[in-house]
Amino acid sequence: MNPFVLYIMLLSLGLGTTLTFASSHWLMAWMGLEINTLAIIPLMIQQYHPRAVEASIKYFLTQAMAATLMLFLTTSNAWVTGQWDIQHLSHPALVTMTALALGLKMGLAPLHFWLPEVMQGLNLYTGMLLITWQKLAPMMLIYQLAPQIKPPLIMALAVLSALIGGWGGLNQTQLRKIMAYSSIAHMGWMMAVIKYAPDLMMLNLIIYIVLTCSIFMTINMISATKINNLAVGWSKTPTFVMLMIVILLSLGGLPPLTGFMPKWLIMQELTKQMMPMMATLMAMAALISLFFYLRVCYGSSLTTSPNTNNALTPWRLKSMIPSTLISSTSVATTMLLPLTPTILMIVSW
């Protein structure tokens, strides 16, 4: 892609997200979401591969349906109440349907079916944008709507996302699909606490973005898209494979890594809200997700895949790509747990 076109698309992504963040008006927020959608589609289709074309079409149709539903609901609210304020929806049915439309935009279960299929058709960096940056705008709208959403709906979306995100990743061999189901599970953890402690949701979102960017950059350095591609990674780039294993364990929420921090704080908050059953369900769902993270770790370090490797055998040479960003994000994924009180104080402030 032409560098100037790439610059315009990335600038449009930033503009759309910023516009949604700064909006208190539903129409302006909707415009920001649409700018985001239209800006990422050229990035999806830049390789002009049949899978990329298919993924772009699926993404466009899904996002168009969610945006149309959201615009219809907010227009209905403006017709009834005479106002477009985001935090003042008039009817519980409108709040519920708007939350579901935003859930469809993010890929929350049970509206998640498009996300793994779209991820499979993208390259690693575009997939990273899809499950990190593209979550920000709709998550901020749900953040503003959360006080009006009924708790049973939020809890149902949270539990379904955590469970389906874990179960869906068990059978996968494609790393991009595994990361898509990981994204669904992490969105469930954020939804579980968004009504009771929005600051913890923000903390979880920030840590999730750092962890996901780190794992995608590491996988890109190894040049792997499937689990059996990782079998040759240990002899090619052992440092990056070891780093990938640590980041995956952090994504799974194992102490003493950074990924344990949001899960620990969310379970503590759910317990304080007198919801021990909810906390137990979320913990069990985290164990399911941990299984497929460990499966990737096992396939990359402790065994050689018995399957025929269809990919080209990579040259066993050191990569000359600068790794400053990977170094900083990797440190953040592994060493922030001792700073939990300070980080929590900053986020709460």
Side-chain angles (χ1 to χ4, degrees):
M1 180 180 285
N2 188 297
F4 295 106
V5 176
L6 178 63
Y7 176 75
I8 291 172
M9 293 300 107
L10 294 177
L11 191 62
S12 299
L13 276 176
L15 173 64
T17 304
T18 306
L19 186 61
T20 304
F21 280 8
S23 297
S24 60
H25 191 286
W26 272 115
L27 188 58
M28 295 299 292
W30 176 81
M31 288 175 60
L33 292 174
E34 289 308 289
I35 291 172
N36 255 4
T37 300
L38 295 177
I40 200 172
I41 287 176
L43 300 177
M44 291 180 170
I45 208 170
Q46 62 180 319
Q47 293 180 332
Y48 204 69
H49 188 275
R51 286 184 180 176
V53 174
E54 180 185 354
S56 304
I57 293 172
K58 287 178 178 177
Y59 181 75
F60 174 75
L61 293 177
T62 304
Q63 298 297 307
M65 181 172 63
T68 303
L69 179 59
M70 193 183 84
L71 185 61
F72 169 73
L73 294 168
T74 53
T75 305
S76 301
N77 180 71
W79 183 32
V80 172
T81 63
Q83 64 176 353
W84 287 87
D85 192 1
I86 290 178
Q87 297 183 0
H88 292 88
L89 286 179
S90 62
H91 196 276
L94 291 177
V95 176
T96 300
M97 294 302 294
T98 305
L100 291 176
L102 292 170
L104 178 60
K105 272 196 163 292
M106 288 193 301
L108 282 173
L111 308 167
H112 67 285
F113 297 100
W114 62 272
L115 182 58
E117 300 302 322
V118 170
M119 279 288 293
Q120 184 56 30
L122 306 179
N123 62 39
L124 290 172
Y125 280 133
T126 309
M128 181 182 71
L129 279 177
L130 179 64
I131 62 172
T132 54
W133 187 266
Q134 291 298 95
K135 306 280 187 185
L136 292 176
M139 184 59 83
M140 288 303 105
L141 291 177
I142 290 187
Y143 176 89
Q144 296 181 66
L145 274 182
Q148 304 176 62
I149 304 175
K150 298 295 183 184
L153 174 63
I154 291 184
M155 293 299 106
L157 290 175
V159 172
L160 279 174
S161 297
L163 290 175
I164 291 176
W167 281 330
L170 292 180
N171 255 353
Q172 302 301 325
T173 58
Q174 300 286 338
L175 295 177
R176 284 165 292 185
K177 281 193 175 183
I178 288 175
M179 295 310 301
Y181 283 108
S182 171
S183 172
I184 295 167
H186 279 85
M187 290 297 117
W189 279 89
M190 294 177 212
M191 290 298 293
V193 79
I194 191 171
K195 193 172 182 69
Y196 306 106
D199 297 334
L200 287 185
M201 186 280 294
M202 293 294 299
L203 175 63
N204 196 352
L205 181 60
I206 293 168
I207 291 177
Y208 162 74
I209 289 175
V210 172
L211 291 171
T212 304
C213 290
S214 183
I215 191 66
F216 267 93
M217 287 187 288
T218 307
I219 291 172
N220 186 67
M221 293 288 284
I222 301 173
S223 302
T225 56
K226 297 182 291 186
I227 291 179
N228 61 358
N229 292 151
L230 297 173
V232 297
W234 190 260
S235 56
K236 178 191 174 190
T237 51
T239 305
F240 280 110
V241 172
M242 183 180 66
L243 188 61
M244 184 194 69
I245 291 171
V246 174
I247 297 170
L248 284 170
L249 295 178
S250 185
L251 267 172
L254 286 184
L257 303 173
T258 304
F260 177 65
M261 182 203 305
K263 290 182 170 59
W264 172 30
L265 294 174
I266 289 172
M267 290 181 65
Q268 185 181 30
E269 182 64 30
L270 290 174
T271 306
K272 287 179 182 178
Q273 296 294 332
M274 299 300 178
M275 293 189 292
M277 185 58 69
M278 180 71 181
T280 304
L281 283 174
M282 297 301 291
M284 296 297 291
L287 290 177
I288 299 173
S289 298
L290 183 61
F291 177 83
F292 63 76
Y293 294 131
L294 289 173
R295 183 164 169 255
V296 176
C297 297
Y298 177 76
S300 62
S301 61
L302 299 177
T303 185
T304 301
S305 175
N307 302 322
T308 302
N309 191 353
N310 297 325
L312 295 174
T313 302
W315 289 100
R316 297 184 178 182
L317 298 175
K318 293 182 179 180
S319 175
M320 301 304 293
I321 302 174
S323 57
T324 305
L325 187 57
I326 298 180
S327 302
S328 56
T329 54
S330 301
V331 169
T333 61
T334 56
M335 299 186 179
L336 292 184
L337 187 61
L339 299 177
T340 300
T342 305
I343 294 172
L344 193 58
M345 183 182 65
I346 293 172
V347 172
S348 300
W349 183 79

